[in-house]
């Protein structure tokens, strides 16, 4: 697979995870959740900063996970 296909599948996978989790909260439970967008944005921001600073994909992944866990 080319780099473009891998990138495209990664973006699609992340958005599917976000959509399924939001469907579980609002669809099945009937609750309104505005936190999903905030956690998604905080993780993306941390990953972007880590990629710019280091260029290491694994470090960017772990930094985004840590930022979201600390925000909880």
């Amino acid at each position: 697979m080319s780099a473009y296909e891998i990138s495209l599948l990664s973006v699609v996978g992340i958005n599917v995870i976000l959509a399924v989790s939001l469907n579980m909260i609002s669809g099945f439970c009937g609750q309104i959740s505005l936190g999903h967008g905030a956690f998604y944005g905080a993780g993306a921001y941390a990953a972007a900063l880590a990629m710019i600073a280091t260029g290491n994909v694994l470090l960017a992944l772990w930094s985004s996970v840590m930022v979201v866990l600390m925000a909880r």
Side-chain angles (χ1 to χ4, degrees):
M1 288 177 47
S2 69
Y4 172 73
E5 291 170 338
I6 292 171
S7 173
L8 186 64
L9 286 176
S10 297
V11 169
V12 167
I14 290 170
N15 286 322
V16 164
I17 291 170
L18 181 67
V20 168
S21 67
L22 192 58
N23 183 36
M24 288 177 67
I25 294 292
S26 63
F28 295 123
C29 299
Q31 298 175 350
I32 296 174
S33 175
L34 300 176
H36 277 79
F39 289 134
Y40 184 74
Y45 189 72
L49 287 178
M51 278 299 294
I52 290 171
T54 64
N56 188 351
V57 175
L58 290 176
L59 181 62
L61 175 67
W62 283 111
S63 66
S64 64
V65 169
M66 290 300 135
V67 165
V68 169
L69 287 177
M70 287 189 307
R72 276 180 83 180

